[in-house]
Amino acid sequence: MTWLRFLFTALLTAALLYVLHTRIGPVPPLGAFLDPFGGFWQNAESATIEWPETLDLEGLDGQVKVAYDDRLVPHIFAESDEDLYFMQGYLEARHRLFQMDFMSRIAGGQLAEVIGERGLAIDRYTRRLGMRKAAEDAWAFVEQDPQSRKIMQAYTDGVNAYIQSLTPRHYPVEFKLLDYAPTNWTPVRSLVIMKLMAFNLSSYDRDVELTNAYLFFGAQDFHRLFDLFPYDLDPIIPDTNYAEMAVAQLDTAQPVFPDHLAHWNDFLRPQPHVGSNNWAVHGSRTASGYPMLANDPHLRLSLPAIWYEQQHVSPNVNAYGVSIPGLPMITLGYNSDIAWGFTNAGRDVKDWYRLTLSDDKKAYLFDSTYMDFDIRVEEIKVRGMGTIVDSVRYTHYGPVTFDSTFQQDSSRILLGLRWKAHDPSNELLAIYKLNRAHDYDSYKAAIAGYTNPAQNMLFADRNGDIALTQQGVFPLLWPKQGRFVGDGTDPAHQWQGFIPIAHNPQHRNPDRGFASSANQQAATESYPYYYCGSFEYYRNRRINEVLAADSVITIEDMIRLQNDNKHLIGEDALSVLFPLWDNTVIPDSLQDMLIELRSWDRIADPNSVGAVYFDAFWEAFKHLCLDELRQSEHPIAAPKDYHLIRFMASQDDHWLFNIDSTSTQEDLLALSLAAMARGQASIAKWQETHDKPLTWQYWKNTTLQHWLSTVSAFHIDQVPIGGDAHIVNANSSTHGGSWRFIAHLKPEGIEAYGIYAGGQSGNPGSPYYGQFVDKWAAGEHYELLMLDSPTVSHDRIIYHQTFE
Amino acid sequence: MRVILFTGLVALLAFGVQSLFPWWTLIIPPVLLGLFVYRKGNEAFFSSFLGLLLLWIIHAGLQHATSSGDMAARMASTFGIPIVVLLLATGVVGGLLAGLAGLSGFYLQRTQQKKRRN
């Protein structure tokens, strides 16, 4: 009996211990997680810094001094580049280890190893896009350059020095939540994050959808709805004469369209609304007489933010700005002599080719011979399931991403993928040199080796120069090549070479006195090279309009323009619709909507009510207008708002404006009235389910999401900020001006202002986690602190640390 | 009186063990006390339970109180409970495991005593 009693309690104890030590579904092992000695309570932090004043780190050659300012920005002073990037790795790991680990897992196909089977589809997708292979190939290439190898190795060693200093109780809280340990960093993990940026910035293509749209609309309407070169293009480089440019001759061909719509899938397409603004004003148009430069990249608003702020000083560099944790160097910012900022080029460098298979399906036809597939075996670890082997077929174009084993049914045609990001390249060396550039020539020399993702690289210096270069390597294309799915059998359809970098659109000290880019087309129609892609039609026009109207620009003007909420889509769309509405009797039931739209000032401020009504109306309008596309079982590209509005103005009785679900025939006017009703209904529904005032900020609900999207307590939502996609202040619900930067390039030194959406600490239990968010939402900037020495006493320096 | 004494003893020993070793080693002090010290089942369970409950609540509470408070607030919101309940739940989890461990140790002790008497 006593034995029985003992056995029963002992078993009960063991069972409880087992349950508390085991991860059950998304719930972490509760005992370990709640344990105040090692669980999440250990991750509670105060604003007080508790790091040791001096710390020995194996791997450092000399002494590194770090001063921290009141925003926890480290100002790193090292005696060599290796020590500098070692320290960057160490500090980024200390503040952002989980983010780095998770980003490299998402991009490199190692997510399922920690989150289990629900990560498997993403792992297979990134690997089947060739991202892991591309990162491995990139490292083999980067490694050949001794300087690059040293930097990458030093950075890697720094990250690992931090990881090795950790005991489980000090792991970032996300590791405890997901119940896994950080694994060592490698250069490939850094480069895979580079490929994640390439995915976000250079993998937006609509080849399949546009092929379907061409078949669906016919040539004439397709041209109206998808014209890449509309009349008021307002390109990035408006003033270059290309008459002298000698262009290579290509074997040209015509797009080949299938006789029926093709099918694909929408699995994890890159977001079309990543974008950015940058502009620089020449001293001839500023109040001070010196250049000013502004930049705000619009990326996914994540927590921790995509950016980590720091100052880098070694004997050959003094740079300040933001980096992407996982990637060495300052990505965006300024140094003692120059300032720079990037926007995305948005040109299509990712093409799909229809494959014609041999009878045994082991080869594909190209130039009248059958070529064998190469097979790359991807081994994917899946938590709780062991290792899954995925064999991916490769053509000479690149991988066959989708097939009957992955996201596509077996009756469909296979597509081969050619993507610029597959080519080995060394972008980080370009950034390294850019960090050290001191004038126009060294800026041009620095960026010359940068290939992908292509960026509009804006420059200004203390000598008074401003310049803008579309930097990247782009394929030579015949007209319409790459816009639609290519014919994989025809050599004329493959990329036949690349545009010489010297032929990329660019200018220096343009006559109009400013340079600007906002993801629009790069060049005027006279540019001799064909290109396609996804381009902006609104932010660029607004920025250029404001800059052209003011010839004595101040820093305050620059700040105001970054926060500009002018809603050009609203203005354009309503300027087409109001003449129609003015000539008809609008039913009483729609008067609310009509009154709000009429009185709206076309500004998307946080407290705007009109912006809500327009948004509700416009979403309803597009929903009803594009119903014909949705009814197809195939993905058909939807026209951009810009093209749709022009189409409304010229084709108001087109069948596209009919609402299929009604028995009557609608034209633009009838459709717009139906959209008003539908928009009003969605507002009424929102008001029933929300207890917030009906204003733009609450309607839009800009949210900074933690990388673990299901842990909503780590998000910051309801950020009181205006703007939207296609507005200069480009904050939608999920994306926005992630880093806002302004530099004033005075001869005696650069004054700079900046802020990003987040905070330096990646720990949701730290007061520094979302430290900048309120000020960011208010449209304000911090004055950036470029220190001359690590020991200088300054009222904003709160802590000093020495590593040796 | 003995309960108060043993509660303190469990807490003190568990504090030492947990400062050095993984969380589940907290069962060692209650088991040992159960084997060699406790004289009653009630005493074994409640002293161990209270010892760990208090240790975990105080330790977690101190870390929370000396921080900005964000961590506990976010976690409590994840579980959908107030911070106080989260703190209490933390204590109960540690306490329950310790209580059962103390009881197991005590019952093991009793099996040996039975043998000796025989």
Side-chain angles (χ1 to χ4, degrees), chain A residues 347-359:
Chain A
R347 281 163 70 165
D348 181 359
V349 292
K350 180 167 165 242
D351 289 333
W352 299 91
Y353 293 91
R354 258 195 318 276
L355 302 178
T356 305
L357 298 198
S358 61
D359 290 339

Side-chain angles (χ1 to χ4, degrees), chain A residues 186-202:
Chain A
T186 62
V188 171
R189 296 188 79 179
S190 286
L191 292 170
V192 99
I193 290 179
M194 193 75 208
K195 295 301 167 192
L196 184 62
M197 296 314 291
F199 176 80
N200 286 333
L201 298 171
S202 75

Side-chain angles (χ1 to χ4, degrees), chain A residues 2-3 5-6 9-10 13 17 20-21 34-37 40-42 44-46 169 713-714 764-765 767 769, chain B residues 18-19 23-24 56 59-60 63 66-68 70-71 74-75 77-78 87 90 100 103-104 107-108 111 114-115:
Chain A
T2 49
W3 272 106
R5 207 167 52 178
F6 163 68
T9 26
T13 311
L17 185 59
L20 292 176
H21 202 58
L34 293 173
D35 166 29
F37 292 84
F40 77 86
W41 296 100
Q42 283 285 333
E45 283 183 4
S46 74
R169 67 184 62 189
F714 290 177
Y769 178 66
Chain B
Q18 281 213 269
S19 298
W23 78 277
W24 52 267
W56 276 31
H59 195 55
Q63 297 194 63
T66 54
S67 78
S68 60
D70 295 81
M71 191 75 253
R74 290 187 200 282
M75 275 304 143
S77 138
T78 299
L87 205 57
T90 297
L100 284 173
L103 204 57
S104 303
Y107 285 154
L108 187 60
T111 61
K114 275 269 170 63
K115 263 181 200 156

Side-chain angles (χ1 to χ4, degrees), chain B residues 1-13 29-30 33 36-40 43-44 46-52:
Chain B
M1 193 57 209
R2 284 172 58 87
V3 169
I4 295 172
L5 183 75
F6 290 139
T7 297
L9 195 60
V10 167
L12 193 72
L13 290 173
L33 287 176
F36 300 114
V37 181
Y38 292 138
R39 286 194 206 142
K40 286 182 193 157
E43 185 177 273
F46 284 110
S47 301
S48 307
F49 176 83
L50 280 176
L52 257 295

